[in-house]
Structures are given as C-alpha cells and as structure tokens.
Amino acid sequence: MKQLKLAFRLLMALTLLAACEADDNDKLPSKSDTSQSGGVNHNKNTTGNDLLDSRLEVPATTISANTTFLIRSVQNYGINYIIEWDNKKRAQRWTAYQMYDGNSGTAWNRNNWMSTEWGGDPFQPDPDLPADVRTELSDYRGSGYTRGHIIPSADRLNSKEANEQTFYLSNMHPQAYAFNGAPGVWGEMENFLRGYWNKRSFRDVLYVVKGGTIRDDQVKEYVGRLLVPQYFFMATVCQAGNSYKGIAFWANHDEPSRTVKSCIITIDELEAKTGLDFFCNLPDDTENEVERTVDKTYWSVN
C-alpha cells in the first residue's frame, strides 16, 4: 500500500510529518488576515500544526494525553480525512473531511476488492494505532452491531488507496443495522449528503464533520471493549464562491426510522448537544452566521 500514514500522540510532543499535495481549498486566513468576511478569528485552533490550525473542517481540538490525531493522505488528492481518537475509550470523537470535484471522482470500483489481498473485505485495525488503544475485528464479532463507517466508503472512490483508508476500524463506530443500513436514518443521511449536496452545481467544497457521541452521559452501552454511541451527528458547511451555508444533523441510535429532515438542526444547537466547537477556523463573523441558522430552502430540506 502506498499510504502516507500521518498520526501523532499528544502524550509526546505535538508534531506531525506532513507530505501531501494540498488542494486549493485547504488554506484559510490567519488571525491577522482580514481578506475574508469577518476577518478576525478569536477561537481558531492554535496547536502549532498547520493542518489542524488552518483546515476549515477541523473542530476545536481536544488536547490531552489520551488523544491521537490520525491524518490520512493519499498521493492523488492530499488529505483524505482527519480523526480525533480517544485512546482511553478506544473510540473516535469525530472524523472531518472535504468533498469537492477532485476527490469525488470514481476511479475505483469497490467490486474490485474481491480480486485483492483482502478478498472482498478490507476492514482492518488501524495500522497507526498501538494495539492497546485501538479496536480489533474480534471486538465486533458477536457484538450485535455493524462496523459503521463515519466517512463512507462511497464518498472515497477516487482511488484504491483512499477507499481502503475508509475501512480502518478507527473510522468506525458500532451501529445497529437498522440505523446504518437502508432505509435507516444514518444511511439515508449519507445518501442525502452525497446525492443532493455533493454536486458542482451546489458547492465548490463541502466541509464535513461526523461522529458518534462518546461523552460518558451520551454512551448507549459498552459491548466488551466497544463503546456504542447513543447519538450520531453531522455538521456541514457548504462553500460556493464567497458564500458559506451551514447545516447540522442529530440522530438517536434508538430511532432508526426517523426521517433525515426531522433530524436537521443548526450547528449552534449541535454544539450545545455535543460540547464540540465546529468550524472554529472560520473568521468569527462567518462562523457565527453559518452556525446560527439553517436555510432550509437552500439545502432543500423544507
């Protein structure tokens, strides 16, 4: 595999070796840059790592000895996705990624996995996480839960490498089949994002953050070593030219038959529910605007 595996533990020095091709959407203004609407940004990430401190999709980071950031890149499109991993809970807090014309191509057919070394099933433990903090395939066997992608495999068909990275177990949360599979609300939400919004006529870039809740009071149960979230969420900002629009999604794991539209909330509301600070790398005025309202006509969810 030709992978640029970039991961670091904050238990050690906050460092990152980054070798990737950055797309034009990766760069955002610094605190002193007033070229975009809003200019000043008081809550942007300041970890000292450019990938965490400048990429719009990355939420405010949780700095602790128990946190690992997994930064995946591929040769053809640079950054594939970024994960914040909780080492103690063996679970991810979020996955953040971009969707745009280049990385939304279909150069890889998932049926081809049958003729690879994986024999059709590329699910695998994360090679960049030590065995004592990661989940294993054996954790899911007999658990009653599916291995639920956070960044979907279908969103990364631009190469074999990009698609394979979506099958790392660090990109999974345990999900009930009725919730994850069609017509479950999570599966339908993914289809909505891919089918309605990820189109050139709608966006230049979609900035997406998704995950399941791992806070102690928002855990459904533990099955062996597997943490099962009670809620799943998505926050998305659409950039089209100089315009930014935001929308969020909040779904109860125990309510798989809910409609996607009934799970739509503002990003501000999602921040209140999760305790996460989304899109902190946007200038303050722009961030406040995209997070406080949902233009349902714009998003075609009215």
Side-chain angles (χ1 to χ4, degrees), residues 215-228:
R215 205 172 68 191
D216 288 344
D217 63 333
Q218 294 179 338
V219 172
K220 177 177 171 65
E221 64 175 332
Y222 283 86
V223 180
R225 301 195 313 166
L226 284 180
L227 180 157
V228 182

Side-chain angles (χ1 to χ4, degrees), residues 29 69 88 94 151 252 269:
F69 288 95
K88 185 176 180 181
W94 46 257
I151 175 173
N252 190 322
E269 290 172 321

Side-chain angles (χ1 to χ4, degrees), residues 145-156:
Y145 289 97
T146 66
R147 297 164 293 195
H149 284 73
I150 302 303
I151 175 173
S153 165
D155 285 355
R156 286 297 189 259

Side-chain angles (χ1 to χ4, degrees), residues 60-268:
T61 59
T62 302
I63 308 295
S64 77
N66 289 320
T67 302
T68 299
F69 288 95
L70 300 162
I71 302 179
R72 304 293 181 202
S73 65
V74 294
Q75 288 187 331
N76 51 348
Y77 296 113
I79 298 300
N80 196 16
Y81 62 83
I82 299 175
I83 285 175
E84 182 180 319
W85 183 262
D86 188 300
N87 300 328
K88 185 176 180 181
K89 294 185 176 183
R90 296 187 180 89
Q92 65 150 273
R93 185 164 281 105
W94 46 257
T95 293
Y97 58 100
Q98 298 180 8
M99 301 175 76
Y100 53 93
D101 283 354
N103 68 10
S104 298
T106 55
W108 175 252
N109 188 321
R110 287 180 292 176
N111 292 330
N112 292 337
W113 285 118
M114 291 299 298
S115 58
T116 68
E117 68 273 26
W118 300 108
D121 185 2
F123 287 97
Q124 57 190 288
D126 193 307
D128 288 331
L129 287 173
D132 62 330
V133 303
R134 73 187 187 192
T135 51
E136 304 284 349
L137 292 169
S138 58
D139 293 324
Y140 281 87
R141 295 189 188 111
S143 68
Y145 289 97
T146 66
R147 297 164 293 195
H149 284 73
I150 302 303
I151 175 173
S153 165
D155 285 355
R156 286 297 189 259
L157 300 177
N158 59 71
S159 69
K160 175 177 183 276
E161 181 183 22
N163 194 245
E164 182 172 351
Q165 289 179 358
T166 70
F167 286 92
Y168 292 163
L169 294 183
S170 57
N171 183 45
M172 310 288 159
H173 268 306
Q175 293 184 333
Y177 179 78
F179 184 86
N180 184 27
V185 65
W186 184 256
E188 289 300 296
M189 182 274 295
E190 292 179 334
N191 291 334
F192 212 90
L193 177 64
R194 185 183 312 114
Y196 287 90
W197 302 334
N198 189 35
K199 295 180 179 180
R200 178 178 297 184
S201 59
F202 185 77
R203 56 94 185 104
D204 293 329
V205 191
L206 292 176
Y207 302 96
V208 184
V209 190
K210 291 167 62 182
T213 55
I214 66 173
R215 205 172 68 191
D216 288 344
D217 63 333
Q218 294 179 338
V219 172
K220 177 177 171 65
E221 64 175 332
Y222 283 86
V223 180
R225 301 195 313 166
L226 284 180
L227 180 157
V228 182
Q230 183 63 64
Y231 304 96
F232 286 85
F233 62 86
M234 177 188 73
T236 300
V237 163
C238 173
Q239 177 189 353
N242 293 323
S243 173
Y244 294 82
K245 298 285 188 178
I247 194 168
F249 168 95
W250 175 259
N252 190 322
H253 205 167
D254 292 333
E255 299 177 352
S257 297
R258 289 278 299 274
T259 66
V260 170
K261 292 181 181 181
S262 72
C263 296
I264 298 298
I265 59 175
T266 69
I267 297 173
D268 276 344

Side-chain angles (χ1 to χ4, degrees), residues 244-297:
Y244 294 82
K245 298 285 188 178
I247 194 168
F249 168 95
W250 175 259
N252 190 322
H253 205 167
D254 292 333
E255 299 177 352
S257 297
R258 289 278 299 274
T259 66
V260 170
K261 292 181 181 181
S262 72
C263 296
I264 298 298
I265 59 175
T266 69
I267 297 173
D268 276 344
E269 290 172 321
L270 185 61
E271 289 181 333
K273 291 177 180 294
T274 62
L276 297 173
D277 182 5
F278 298 105
F279 308 111
C280 64
N281 290 331
L282 268 175
D284 291 343
D285 287 353
T286 305
E287 179 187 0
N288 292 337
E289 179 64 24
V290 301
E291 293 185 352
R292 69 180 179 86
T293 61
V294 175
D295 185 338
K296 293 187 176 182
T297 300

